[in-house]
Amino acid sequence: MRRPMKGNSTICRVWLILVLLLTVAIFPGEAAAEVDGYGPFPVRNFQPIQLMVLGMFGDRATVLSKGRLDIRLELADTSTVFRDDESRVSTTMKLETLRSAVFLRYGLTDQLEVGMEVPALYRYRGFLEGGITATERATTGLAPARDRLLNTGFAFNMTRDGQPLFSGGESSLGLGDITLISKYQLQARSEDRPAVAVRLALKLPTGDSARFFGSGHPDVGAGLAVEQAVGARWILYGNLNGIFPTGDVAGLTLHPAWSALAAVEYLWSSTLSLVAQFDYYSSPFQNTGTKILDRGVTEGVFGFSYQIRKHLLWQVYGVENLDFIEGSAADFTLSTLVTFRFGP
């Protein structure tokens, strides 16, 4: 009997997102006071192995005004399921990774902002398994990897030529790699031209590389961000980033990689917006013998931003593996963020 492919359930979710966007477009809420959204979601590649390399998270092109401080708290829970046996590499992974992070950013001038992100990682059995399993069973059937590991609670193992590459135990907690980032706005947004900014990032090797909470080496990244309003309610965003890792991970050489983002934000009201986003990440690994490491990742993102008070923003988003490139992406991520804003 031919097993249904996970890609079919993914298509159902994509269609659901499109229907939601069409619904809010046809039945708009209260008009936004001004065309200034909250930006794309700060998504990165949450795949547990590629997560050790610098991730240039999604960002908008506008910068904080001089003297303003943002403090962002984020919790992102990622479900990962891999069961694969190649000629040289064998992988059994079934886990959830809870990534909590504090991100500080400050406006040095009206064109330049600087920031720092401090993450912590926790690997465990998680809580998303029941919901994901029920959804897949109700649509097109369990994904093959999840079906093969149905009776496995936690696994984090990858071997190459019989030697361990990546492994770890349940309930493992550790500090991740700290990232320093800056953004300089080259051009302000107007009716006839988009906002444009350049970004630079440096990842510091503060995570424990022996437990795979970091690569053990610094990475450098550079990127370009653009955004433009379309009409009274829509804002378009784009990011393009280059990543230049150093050293190796588990004896595997790291190579330059790149990522891209395209997002659309719909301003439902002056305090609420909806965002649909597409992300692509090339892999920093090459010729390892497994598609889990060698292939890139394509994902779709959907969520909302709600301004609870003038200086308090709440955001929720979900990340779904689109399977345009099979066998390399994490299965699903659910994240919530709270941003406190101080100053002008």
Side-chain angles (χ1 to χ4, degrees), residues 224-263:
L224 183 71
V226 297
E227 68 175 81
Q228 179 61 19
V230 179
R233 294 179 179 272
W234 301 89
I235 304 179
L236 306 179
Y237 302 95
N239 289 180
L240 182 63
N241 309 295
I243 310 298
F244 305 93
T246 64
D248 59 69
V249 173
L252 302 175
T253 302
L254 296 173
H255 300 267
W258 66 282
S259 64
L261 171 156

Side-chain angles (χ1 to χ4, degrees), residues 43-74:
V43 180
R44 69 206 64 223
N45 188 352
F46 288 109
Q47 201 245 53
I49 299 176
Q50 297 187 22
L51 184 60
M52 290 186 285
V53 177
L54 171 66
M56 296 282 284
F57 56 83
D59 201 359
R60 64 186 313 177
T62 56
V63 299
L64 296 182
S65 58
K66 182 179 179 180
R68 178 173 158 183
L69 171 68
D70 274 16
I71 301 177
R72 185 173 73 207
L73 308 177
E74 178 176 12

Side-chain angles (χ1 to χ4, degrees), residues 13-344:
R13 293 174 184 142
V14 172
W15 273 109
L16 177 60
I17 291 172
L18 293 175
V19 170
L20 288 173
L21 284 175
L22 181 60
T23 300
V24 298
I26 296 175
F27 303 103
E30 173 194 354
E34 58 183 85
V35 184
D36 186 21
Y38 304 104
F41 296 118
V43 180
R44 69 206 64 223
N45 188 352
F46 288 109
Q47 201 245 53
I49 299 176
Q50 297 187 22
L51 184 60
M52 290 186 285
V53 177
L54 171 66
M56 296 282 284
F57 56 83
D59 201 359
R60 64 186 313 177
T62 56
V63 299
L64 296 182
S65 58
K66 182 179 179 180
R68 178 173 158 183
L69 171 68
D70 274 16
I71 301 177
R72 185 173 73 207
L73 308 177
E74 178 176 12
L75 288 175
D77 192 85
T78 300
S79 173
T80 302
V81 177
F82 292 127
R83 183 66 181 93
D84 193 36
D85 291 302
E86 306 286 349
S87 58
R88 299 180 59 192
V89 181
S90 178
T91 304
T92 303
M93 289 188 182
K94 184 180 180 183
L95 71 151
E96 290 186 22
T97 304
L98 180 63
R99 185 182 188 275
S100 56
V102 179
F103 179 60
L104 309 174
R105 61 175 184 162
Y106 179 74
L108 281 180
T109 72
D110 286 333
Q111 289 182 280
L112 175 65
E113 70 176 43
V114 295
M116 178 177 69
E117 184 185 47
V118 182
L121 302 173
Y122 179 60
R123 299 191 187 107
Y124 69 127
R125 295 192 180 203
F127 66 94
L128 295 175
E129 170 73 10
I132 294 174
T133 299
T135 300
E136 292 185 349
R137 281 176 169 166
T139 53
T140 58
L142 288 178
R146 190 175 298 278
D147 188 34
R148 294 178 66 183
L149 297 175
L150 194 60
N151 297 320
T152 300
F154 178 94
F156 183 51
N157 298 288
M158 178 181 287
T159 61
R160 188 186 191 195
D161 298 329
Q163 301 298 316
L165 276 180
F166 301 98
S167 63
E170 188 176 356
S171 300
S172 183
L173 172 67
L175 176 70
D177 288 339
I178 294 175
T179 300
L180 306 178
I181 193 162
S182 64
K183 180 170 59 174
Y184 183 79
Q185 188 168 352
L186 299 174
Q187 178 174 282
R189 197 180 76 193
S190 66
E191 291 185 1
D192 57 355
R193 63 181 185 179
V196 180
V198 292
R199 306 165 68 204
L200 295 175
L202 172 65
K203 183 177 73 68
L204 306 177
T206 54
D208 187 347
S209 59
R211 294 193 297 155
F212 307 109
F213 288 125
S215 67
H217 304 278
D219 299 337
V220 176
L224 183 71
V226 297
E227 68 175 81
Q228 179 61 19
V230 179
R233 294 179 179 272
W234 301 89
I235 304 179
L236 306 179
Y237 302 95
N239 289 180
L240 182 63
N241 309 295
I243 310 298
F244 305 93
T246 64
D248 59 69
V249 173
L252 302 175
T253 302
L254 296 173
H255 300 267
W258 66 282
S259 64
L261 171 156
V264 55
E265 181 175 21
Y266 178 80
L267 306 179
W268 172 270
S269 71
S270 60
T271 59
L272 175 66
S273 75
L274 302 175
V275 173
Q277 185 171 317
F278 172 81
D279 294 271
Y280 169 78
Y281 312 93
S282 72
S283 175
F285 299 95
Q286 295 181 13
N287 304 317
T288 65
T290 173
K291 59 188 177 183
I292 296 172
L293 296 181
D294 292 342
R295 293 183 177 179
V297 170
T298 53
E299 294 178 323
V301 185
F302 185 74
F304 68 85
S305 299
Y306 179 65
Q307 185 173 313
I308 300 175
R309 295 182 180 177
K310 184 177 180 180
H311 299 291
L312 181 60
L313 177 67
W314 177 43
Q315 297 173 291
V316 175
Y317 66 82
V319 183
E320 170 67 17
N321 167 24
L322 293 181
D323 283 336
F324 293 161
I325 303 174
E326 294 184 356
S328 56
D331 191 27
F332 181 76
T333 297
L334 180 64
S335 178
T336 184
L337 310 89
V338 177
T339 303
F340 303 89
R341 298 174 170 177
F342 304 92

